[in-house]
mmCIF file of all heavy atoms in Angstrom:
data_model
loop_
_atom_site.group_PDB
_atom_site.id
_atom_site.type_symbol
_atom_site.label_atom_id
_atom_site.label_comp_id
_atom_site.label_asym_id
_atom_site.label_seq_id
_atom_site.Cartn_x
_atom_site.Cartn_y
_atom_site.Cartn_z
ATOM 1 N N MET A 545 -52.515 100.844 -7.105
ATOM 2 C CA MET A 545 -51.464 100.876 -6.087
ATOM 3 C C MET A 545 -50.574 99.624 -6.133
ATOM 4 O O MET A 545 -49.497 99.614 -5.530
ATOM 5 C CB MET A 545 -52.070 101.013 -4.692
ATOM 6 C CG MET A 545 -52.925 99.844 -4.242
ATOM 7 S SD MET A 545 -53.592 100.126 -2.582
ATOM 8 C CE MET A 545 -52.092 100.408 -1.651
ATOM 9 N N GLY A 546 -50.995 98.566 -6.854
ATOM 10 C CA GLY A 546 -50.125 97.398 -6.942
ATOM 11 C C GLY A 546 -50.840 96.188 -7.500
ATOM 12 O O GLY A 546 -51.977 96.270 -7.978
ATOM 13 N N ILE A 547 -50.148 95.048 -7.442
ATOM 14 C CA ILE A 547 -50.647 93.785 -7.979
ATOM 15 C C ILE A 547 -51.063 92.886 -6.825
ATOM 16 O O ILE A 547 -50.308 92.686 -5.869
ATOM 17 C CB ILE A 547 -49.567 93.081 -8.825
ATOM 18 C CG1 ILE A 547 -49.117 93.991 -9.979
ATOM 19 C CG2 ILE A 547 -50.066 91.746 -9.352
ATOM 20 C CD1 ILE A 547 -47.938 93.446 -10.748
ATOM 21 N N VAL A 548 -52.319 92.370 -6.923
ATOM 22 C CA VAL A 548 -52.812 91.452 -5.895
ATOM 23 C C VAL A 548 -52.267 90.049 -6.180
ATOM 24 O O VAL A 548 -52.444 89.510 -7.276
ATOM 25 C CB VAL A 548 -54.354 91.439 -5.861
ATOM 26 C CG1 VAL A 548 -54.848 90.409 -4.850
ATOM 27 C CG2 VAL A 548 -54.892 92.816 -5.547
ATOM 28 N N HIS A 549 -51.630 89.438 -5.179
ATOM 29 C CA HIS A 549 -51.092 88.078 -5.310
ATOM 30 C C HIS A 549 -51.904 87.054 -4.523
ATOM 31 O O HIS A 549 -51.790 85.856 -4.796
ATOM 32 C CB HIS A 549 -49.631 88.038 -4.829
ATOM 33 C CG HIS A 549 -48.684 88.714 -5.764
ATOM 34 N ND1 HIS A 549 -48.188 88.122 -6.902
ATOM 35 C CD2 HIS A 549 -48.153 89.976 -5.738
ATOM 36 C CE1 HIS A 549 -47.377 88.943 -7.522
ATOM 37 N NE2 HIS A 549 -47.346 90.100 -6.847
ATOM 38 N N ASP A 550 -52.729 87.505 -3.569
ATOM 39 C CA ASP A 550 -53.524 86.560 -2.798
ATOM 40 C C ASP A 550 -54.570 87.348 -2.016
ATOM 41 O O ASP A 550 -54.554 88.588 -1.992
ATOM 42 C CB ASP A 550 -52.637 85.752 -1.846
ATOM 43 C CG ASP A 550 -53.273 84.425 -1.433
ATOM 44 O OD1 ASP A 550 -54.457 84.215 -1.776
ATOM 45 O OD2 ASP A 550 -52.589 83.605 -0.770
ATOM 46 N N ALA A 551 -55.459 86.616 -1.371
ATOM 47 C CA ALA A 551 -56.493 87.239 -0.553
ATOM 48 C C ALA A 551 -56.754 86.355 0.653
ATOM 49 O O ALA A 551 -56.457 85.148 0.657
ATOM 50 C CB ALA A 551 -57.775 87.439 -1.352
ATOM 51 N N SER A 552 -57.297 86.977 1.702
ATOM 52 C CA SER A 552 -57.621 86.220 2.906
ATOM 53 C C SER A 552 -58.833 85.337 2.661
ATOM 54 O O SER A 552 -59.575 85.522 1.690
ATOM 55 C CB SER A 552 -57.884 87.173 4.066
ATOM 56 O OG SER A 552 -59.031 87.961 3.797
ATOM 57 N N ARG A 553 -59.042 84.343 3.540
ATOM 58 C CA ARG A 553 -60.181 83.442 3.374
ATOM 59 C C ARG A 553 -61.516 84.175 3.483
ATOM 60 O O ARG A 553 -62.502 83.792 2.873
ATOM 61 C CB ARG A 553 -60.097 82.318 4.407
ATOM 62 C CG ARG A 553 -59.039 81.280 4.081
ATOM 63 C CD ARG A 553 -58.970 80.199 5.136
ATOM 64 N NE ARG A 553 -58.480 80.729 6.403
ATOM 65 C CZ ARG A 553 -58.290 80.007 7.499
ATOM 66 N NH1 ARG A 553 -58.595 78.714 7.479
ATOM 67 N NH2 ARG A 553 -57.837 80.555 8.610
ATOM 68 N N SER A 554 -61.512 85.236 4.275
ATOM 69 C CA SER A 554 -62.754 86.007 4.416
ATOM 70 C C SER A 554 -62.992 86.917 3.225
ATOM 71 O O SER A 554 -64.108 87.410 3.014
ATOM 72 C CB SER A 554 -62.717 86.835 5.702
ATOM 73 O OG SER A 554 -61.670 87.794 5.637
ATOM 74 N N GLY A 555 -61.934 87.161 2.435
ATOM 75 C CA GLY A 555 -62.064 88.048 1.286
ATOM 76 C C GLY A 555 -61.992 89.511 1.642
ATOM 77 O O GLY A 555 -62.120 90.371 0.765
ATOM 78 N N LYS A 556 -61.767 89.834 2.913
ATOM 79 C CA LYS A 556 -61.716 91.234 3.327
ATOM 80 C C LYS A 556 -60.334 91.852 3.128
ATOM 81 O O LYS A 556 -60.208 93.076 3.148
ATOM 82 C CB LYS A 556 -62.111 91.351 4.793
ATOM 83 C CG LYS A 556 -63.565 90.949 5.064
ATOM 84 C CD LYS A 556 -63.879 91.108 6.539
ATOM 85 C CE LYS A 556 -65.349 90.754 6.827
ATOM 86 N NZ LYS A 556 -65.681 90.926 8.261
ATOM 87 N N THR A 557 -59.298 91.004 2.955
ATOM 88 C CA THR A 557 -57.931 91.509 2.837
ATOM 89 C C THR A 557 -57.320 91.034 1.535
ATOM 90 O O THR A 557 -57.412 89.853 1.183
ATOM 91 C CB THR A 557 -57.060 91.029 4.018
ATOM 92 O OG1 THR A 557 -57.646 91.456 5.247
ATOM 93 C CG2 THR A 557 -55.654 91.595 3.906
ATOM 94 N N ALA A 558 -56.683 91.967 0.833
ATOM 95 C CA ALA A 558 -55.939 91.650 -0.385
ATOM 96 C C ALA A 558 -54.452 91.856 -0.109
ATOM 97 O O ALA A 558 -54.066 92.848 0.522
ATOM 98 C CB ALA A 558 -56.391 92.528 -1.539
ATOM 99 N N TYR A 559 -53.636 90.918 -0.577
ATOM 100 C CA TYR A 559 -52.185 91.019 -0.376
ATOM 101 C C TYR A 559 -51.582 91.562 -1.660
ATOM 102 O O TYR A 559 -51.549 90.892 -2.697
ATOM 103 C CB TYR A 559 -51.612 89.657 -0.012
ATOM 104 C CG TYR A 559 -52.166 89.138 1.298
ATOM 105 C CD1 TYR A 559 -53.172 88.173 1.324
ATOM 106 C CD2 TYR A 559 -51.705 89.652 2.505
ATOM 107 C CE1 TYR A 559 -53.690 87.721 2.520
ATOM 108 C CE2 TYR A 559 -52.221 89.193 3.710
ATOM 109 C CZ TYR A 559 -53.204 88.226 3.718
ATOM 110 O OH TYR A 559 -53.719 87.784 4.913
ATOM 111 N N VAL A 560 -51.105 92.806 -1.551
ATOM 112 C CA VAL A 560 -50.748 93.598 -2.726
ATOM 113 C C VAL A 560 -49.249 93.846 -2.760
ATOM 114 O O VAL A 560 -48.639 94.222 -1.738
ATOM 115 C CB VAL A 560 -51.508 94.938 -2.720
ATOM 116 C CG1 VAL A 560 -51.137 95.771 -3.945
ATOM 117 C CG2 VAL A 560 -53.013 94.708 -2.663
ATOM 118 N N GLU A 561 -48.655 93.638 -3.940
ATOM 119 C CA GLU A 561 -47.266 94.011 -4.167
ATOM 120 C C GLU A 561 -47.258 95.441 -4.721
ATOM 121 O O GLU A 561 -47.800 95.695 -5.797
ATOM 122 C CB GLU A 561 -46.598 93.068 -5.164
ATOM 123 C CG GLU A 561 -45.156 93.454 -5.468
ATOM 124 C CD GLU A 561 -44.533 92.581 -6.539
ATOM 125 O OE1 GLU A 561 -45.273 91.818 -7.206
ATOM 126 O OE2 GLU A 561 -43.293 92.671 -6.739
ATOM 127 N N PRO A 562 -46.687 96.403 -3.986
ATOM 128 C CA PRO A 562 -46.705 97.796 -4.441
ATOM 129 C C PRO A 562 -46.073 97.938 -5.828
ATOM 130 O O PRO A 562 -45.095 97.248 -6.150
ATOM 131 C CB PRO A 562 -45.889 98.532 -3.376
ATOM 132 C CG PRO A 562 -46.015 97.672 -2.149
ATOM 133 C CD PRO A 562 -46.057 96.275 -2.663
#
Side-chain angles (χ1 to χ4, degrees):
M545 65 180 304
I547 302 173
V548 176
H549 288 279
D550 203 352
S552 64
R553 285 179 293 182
S554 64
K556 295 181 178 181
T557 302
Y559 297 102
V560 180
E561 178 185 11

